[in-house]
Amino acid sequence: MKETMNSLLYPLCSAVALLALIYKSRVLRTERSVTQAALVANFFLLFVIFTVSTPSVWVATSELVGIANFSGLLTQSCVVIMTACQQLVLLHLTYGPEAARRKAIPRILALGLVLITMAVLFTGATAHGEAPNDFAVTRAQYTPAYLAVYLAAFTANQVEIGVMGWRYSRIAPSAWLRRGLRMVAFTLPFALVYTGCRTADIVAAQFGETGHPWEPAAQLGVGIAVIVQTVGWILPDWGPHLTSAGDQLRYRRAYRVLTPLHRSVTEEVPEPVIPVSPALHLRARLYRMMIEIRDAQWALRTWMDPEVARIAGVEAERVGLCGEELAAVVEAAQLRGAIEAKRRNRPPERPPETPVATAPGDLAAELAFQQRLARAMTSPIAIRSARYATASNTAHKETA
């Protein structure tokens, strides 16, 4: 089981880290800063950690150096350095350059001391054979002090990263940065699952047992933490692209919804229509369509019968509609009635002062309302109410 986990989970984490490294390296070309450089280093170290942790690479690396289990020291040292990179990112996000540098120096010195201590303790147990699948469990048995130093540094850094990430996420200037930092902070429980399992390895070794029974939990904990944390670190970069893609989908859907309404009103009042190039950005074409709909609606005002609005409003209230849903049905009924009256050349005796039943507060609200209006054009209430205008005008003409 553990061999399969290492052979499948670690290459997956390595691939995720490599993709993040390639993406971040491209960002570094245009934005050279300590934060971006530290993130590139973070992903590079992460790639090294999980690549070397893959059993076949682990053995080859140790054999190349000529020291049994050298891969274990390499990967765990990279973990310690990686946490320093993550702290640099958070320090430079939270503080100014000078303050961040002052706060980073003691942290880097402490981690350097940890690395030296780990290297010294590691030399005490390098002759127990390669352990690509259970290096930590083996260390717990033969050199618990080594594993304890590593776990203390790892746990302290993960806690600090989680706390700093959560704190800064509450004041971060952009939504995607806040989301990314919350994802980073969210990985803390999974990192603690890993450290808990490794601590249990040390305790079990003191009683002559091993940590193999809970090894899958340790591997899953660190695997989930790494993948989620990696996504969290790059989310501020590619998150805006997701927003843009989502906006494009919403604009396309809105354009499709408004097209029948636009066609209906501009067939009767073509004057507001200004030809635009299909190459024009969809948002600009949608904005132009919204203006033309409203202009045509105002032009049709002289063909609207106020009684249609009253009847539509009464019927809409009777079925429980209110607010903008009710206003959309009322405007739809007036538009249908006006279009029919204009086609029959039968204007009302006294048109309303305004063709609109509500006033959306901004462009987004206007777009949402016009989509409601477009859908309301096929509402049974709008259709029935509009017929009143036709019947009323016909009766008026016959009486005259």
Side-chain angles (χ1 to χ4, degrees), residues 119-164:
V120 171
L121 293 173
F122 175 83
T123 59
T126 57
H128 294 288
E130 289 291 347
N133 295 302
D134 55 2
F135 174 75
V137 176
T138 303
R139 290 290 126 175
Q141 291 180 312
Y142 297 109
T143 53
Y146 166 88
L147 188 58
V149 170
Y150 167 71
L151 287 177
F154 177 82
T155 305
N157 280 285
Q158 289 300 311
V159 169
E160 188 163 14
I161 289 167
V163 171
M164 290 174 65

Side-chain angles (χ1 to χ4, degrees), residues 42-65:
N42 171 77
F43 293 132
F44 172 74
L45 292 166
L46 195 60
F47 171 68
V48 171
I49 290 166
F50 283 103
T51 299
V52 175
S53 294
T54 303
S56 58
V57 181
W58 176 292
V59 173
T61 303
S62 295
E63 289 179 350
L64 179 65
V65 177

